[in-house]
Amino acid sequence: MKKYLILFLLLILYTNINAHELEVNVIDNKNNTITISALLNTGESAVGVLVRLEDKNTKEIIFQKRLPKSNQLTTNIPKVAYIIVFDEGDDDLTIEEGIPPKEGFQEQKKKEKKKSRGDAHISTNNAVVFSIIIAFLLLLSIMFIGKRNTDKLIKELQNKR
């Protein structure tokens, strides 16, 4: 029992040692630009982290760039309400609210998008894939057993003649 407890504690310790969090700083430069900087809380550089400015309502990407070696980006403040998304990869996202420009955000008219057949997405989660594979295997086995039984019946009919 002690071995399992020690193994469990080592596993928890290992995950905590490798855990990191992105520390983000967004500064208003007072000239309708913002400076975005980021560092990992472990002290490591955040070079290569993808920074996106997305429209808050439509999720449209307004600006997208990777952090350079300086760990800072300066860009114009969008005129629409936005969020800042930091994508570290592996679905590890940090989201910050955008700073409004001096004159404030412009109001947007919401566009209604008609749904079309092209918008349909095929589900590819593991349960669906597994179910399809099982169904295919059952179909093949039924076909094989049916052919074998049909061959047996034909042989028996030919032997009776």
Side-chain angles (χ1 to χ4, degrees):
M1 188 67 183
K2 285 184 181 181
K3 289 180 185 178
Y4 292 116
L5 181 63
I6 291 172
L7 184 63
F8 179 72
L9 290 175
L10 286 175
L11 183 65
I12 289 176
L13 181 63
Y14 177 75
T15 57
N16 285 336
I17 288 174
N18 288 329
H20 66 274
E21 195 169 308
L22 193 64
E23 293 180 356
V24 175
N25 193 11
V26 181
I27 302 167
D28 186 357
N29 296 330
K30 304 295 183 197
N31 60 355
N32 275 347
T33 62
I34 52 172
T35 299
I36 302 166
S37 62
L39 279 174
L40 298 175
N41 64 352
T42 59
E44 294 178 41
S45 172
V47 172
V49 170
L50 184 64
V51 178
R52 289 191 311 259
L53 302 182
E54 293 181 2
D55 187 313
K56 205 172 191 178
N57 298 323
T58 64
K59 302 296 183 203
E60 179 184 340
I61 297 174
I62 301 167
F63 173 83
Q64 177 173 307
K65 195 169 183 181
R66 294 204 177 269
L67 276 177
K69 288 183 181 179
S70 64
N71 288 327
Q72 288 187 345
L73 279 175
T74 301
T75 185
N76 292 328
I77 298 176
K79 304 292 183 201
V80 295
Y82 67 99
I83 55 173
I84 305 169
V85 179
F86 297 86
D87 187 354
E88 299 175 60
D90 298 329
D91 295 330
D92 195 4
L93 300 176
T94 303
I95 299 174
E96 291 286 320
E97 284 291 320
I99 296 174
K102 288 180 184 178
E103 58 276 357
F105 291 127
Q106 293 176 352
E107 287 196 30
Q108 286 182 295
K109 294 180 181 177
K110 291 188 177 181
K111 297 178 185 177
E112 280 193 38
K113 184 180 176 186
K114 286 188 174 181
K115 291 186 178 182
S116 67
R117 290 184 185 185
D119 292 340
H121 296 286
I122 297 173
S123 179
T124 57
N125 66 22
N126 291 339
V128 172
V129 172
F130 182 72
S131 298
I132 291 171
I133 290 171
I134 294 296
F136 186 71
L137 289 175
L138 284 172
L139 178 67
L140 287 177
S141 64
I142 289 171
M143 290 171 57
F144 176 74
I145 291 170
K147 183 182 180 325
R148 192 180 65 186
N149 288 341
T150 303
D151 289 344
K152 282 183 183 179
L153 286 172
I154 290 174
K155 281 183 183 179
E156 284 182 24
L157 288 173
Q158 286 176 351
N159 288 340
K160 287 184 179 180
R161 287 186 188 183

